[in-house]
Amino acid sequence: MKNLIVIIFAFLVCQANAFRPILLLGNQNLIERTCKQTPFYDLCIWSLKSNPESRDASVKKLAQIMVDSLKTKATETLDLIDELLQDGLALDPEMQKALTSCAERYNVIIRGDVPEINEALKTGDYKFAAKGANDAAIEANSCEIEFPTKSPLTDMNKVVHDVSVVAASIVKIIQTKFSF
Amino acid sequence: MVDTRPFLPVSSHAGSDPTGPSENRRKPMKLQLSIFFVLLTVGFFAALLTSNNGSDNGFVKENEHGSLASPSSEKQLRPVSRGPAVGVSEKSNRLFAKDNENQLAYPWNNSMLSWQRTAFHFQPEKNWMNDPNGPLFYKGWYHFFYQYNPHAAVWGDIVWGHAVSKDLIHWLHLPLAMVADQWYDKNGVWTGSATILPDGKVVMLYTGSTTENVQVQNLAYPADHSDPLLINWVKYSGNPVLVPPPGILDKDFRDPTTAWLTSEGKWRITIGSKINKTGIALVYDTKDFINYELLDGILHAVPGTGMWECVDFFPVSKTEENGLDTSVNGPSVKHVVKASLDDDRHDYYSIGTYHEKNGTWIPDEPKIDVGIGLRYDYGIYYAAKTFYDQNKNRRVLWGWIGESDSEAADMQKGWASVQSIPRTILFDKKTGTHLLQWPVEEIESLRLKSYEFNQVKVQAGSVVPLDVGPATQLDIIAEFEIDNEALEKTTGSNVTFSCSSSGGTVERGALGPFGLLVLADDSLSEQTPVYFYIAKGSDGKLKTFFCNDQSRSSVASDVNKQIYGNLVPVLEGEKLSLRVLVDHSIVESFAQGGRTVITSRVYPTKAIYGAAKLFLFNNATEASVSASLRIWQMNSAFIRPYPNDKESQ
């Protein structure tokens, strides 16, 4: 009897795991369909799914999650730039110059672009959300090409650039395909 | 075998218990497990069912409004921009381009940035500006209001700026006209229009974004009608006067127009919106600007165009060379519907007929309907708005010119955006399909020294410098004649040309490109060509294109490098004519008397101050051209705060 109970219990637990994909399928499908419309599918999926708020989110909320991710990544990059700059003795003047202007660009992303995108998403004037997101991509790109030789920020610049582009793509979906 | 009696007490002796004391210890566990299984099963099924309901809602919505999963079924109305889909940002900058030596990463110093500020285009002293609002002429002054961010050089915290001028050129800044101090405009004091009543009083209708982010329409009027400067404004105590009607979403309802009179003596306005992907213009009638009735029908709709922002609706005369009051109607009048498309950030117009009885409008040529046909301007130009200038009997057009550099540069220089020079609007009698735009004549008051060049011959593949002294503030009027023999000899081809997909001025055709190089340095390492390109079809017919090439306008990498332009109708017997206003970082170009117009923002790093020069060029392979030009140095308009006004913006 006890063995039977254990077997049944185990069976039910397996069933539960089988159910789980269906439980999440509703919104998972929206996330996947949204990310397919962006040029960086994997990054999009990963960024959205790693945020629990994406579970029941509308497309607009997915855009906001992406912008939060942009802010986080940009802040991490700026922190790294500040660290590198403090290591002043080890830096040659060109590297220092590049890092300083990168710091300015990342400040613009965090204090200019992100608030602009958020206000635009909130009030529904979506073209300004697109503008802010596209600009963030430009700032990350411009930072990367500052470095005459090896850039210490390549990976982070790429992430920030790509996240911005994904955010801009999601905004485009809101603008052109959705009514909110 | 699972016990489904979940509510038996665990340690009951009351129930039948034939197994005796040795099984007493197993029974409680069995019951606990049973309860657990049942609850588990019930719970999973419940979760399964409810989650399906939730997701169904999401799916239904998407399927109604255009499936996300089938982008291939989307009809492309116009060429897709080389945007994010190919890993390139909307500004077409190359990603991680290190191999091109001409790309400078961050050359911006204060000298370059301060050069960018214009001398005679309207702009506030600092910070961000966008849409023109409520332009009007009142008690001797032209008034101009605008979307303004008092805190930063990016969009946000929007309020209404204000300036006045006697001549649409020399502007004086006044205090902010309206700020976000009511619940119904707390999240934005957005775009609106003025209506002048028969008794001379002014009413203003504008969009507010409420504390709940709903777009509503509000009424405001001058606090003191005897103040010619209209400094203080009062918001109607019963605002909002309009909220989104049924079927229209909270965020798709903005930018009310100037009102015009109906034959019943009521006032009529239109407000842009959308239903799914169809851009529409709603129509309301009112007697007092407080109570409105929504008409059953709409003014017009065009599928696939998306949200219509800043709708404008106005009459033009088919016969006269003057403007018409917005209420004018009649047999010799056509009506223009214009919309700013949120989807592509361009302004489109179409000419047609207004049917007053039911408040509808039909385009003359459905192929060039609103949003799919002609644009006011093929460059960077948006949110345009006209007003009837009763002072000089003309219709005047304002347009917002944004930046096409990076926001980092905007924040460093402390400002962003300018307005175009106001333009008169007339119906183009010769084509019957176009409007003609031309800078208001008052701009000529800025002309200083002039230079004349007659019949300058520019051979195929050559560049001719024009010595006009400093070349950053210019008014250029030019005429071009192309070698007739080459026009006839050249073999036509089926290849289609478009400015934006061409290679710019380095792409040589038999009959073009040729025109002007503005903001160019001596070595031509930076240059902004404004030019014509004539293409001959295989049927022998000539098509003329008018383009503005930014691809080599600056060695900086973080500015827009696109090529703007469009077809320009050139009629039998017409010479190719061009007018260009150069004012530091803005270039406004008019072809064929304003039939096709291009505005661009240019950010050179070297071709600035005394190093900026002007050239004629002809990069055609076969045809030579000859050009006649008159060029004026332009004075500054000295735009500044109104004297004795302590508050500066």
Side-chain angles (χ1 to χ4, degrees), chain B residues 136-143 164-168 170-172 196 200 225-230 389-391 442 642:
Chain B
L136 74 157
F137 180 83
Y138 185 80
K139 289 200 188 317
W141 290 94
Y142 287 98
H143 287 262
V164 288
S165 167
K166 287 279 184 187
D167 64 356
L168 290 171
H170 296 88
W171 292 93
L172 301 169
I196 303 183
H225 266 105
S226 64
D227 170 19
L229 296 180
L230 297 178
D389 170 10
Q390 72 274 28
N391 183 38
E442 288 91 330
Y642 192 87

Side-chain angles (χ1 to χ4, degrees), chain B residues 493-505 507-509 512-513 531-536 543-547 563-567:
Chain B
S493 82
N494 261 332
V495 179
T496 46
F497 178 88
S498 96
C499 298
S500 53
S501 58
S502 73
T505 44
E507 184 176 308
R508 308 184 68 182
Y531 61 99
F532 292 101
Y533 185 99
I534 302 176
K536 191 174 192 181
K543 278 191 178 165
T544 309
F545 293 85
F546 179 52
C547 319
I563 299 154
Y564 298 142
N566 198 49
L567 210 50

Side-chain angles (χ1 to χ4, degrees), chain A residues 27-55 57-59 61-70 73 158-173, chain B residues 68 84:
Chain A
N27 215 50
Q28 199 136 311
N29 220 336
L30 177 60
I31 294 175
E32 274 157 21
R33 288 162 73 175
T34 303
C35 288
K36 278 198 183 125
Q37 303 259 296
T38 74
F40 301 110
Y41 179 80
D42 292 332
L43 175 65
C44 175
I45 293 282
W46 184 87
S47 305
L48 291 175
K49 286 195 181 171
S50 59
N51 187 322
E53 292 186 25
S54 67
R55 282 199 58 177
S58 61
V59 176
K61 180 70 180 160
L62 294 181
Q64 278 164 342
I65 292 172
M66 215 61 218
V67 175
D68 288 342
S69 179
L70 168 61
K73 294 291 167 202
K158 175 146 175 62
V159 168
V160 172
H161 172 275
D162 294 354
V163 167
S164 307
V165 167
V166 169
S169 305
I170 302 180
V171 168
K172 189 105 191 125
I173 294 171
Chain B
L68 275 186

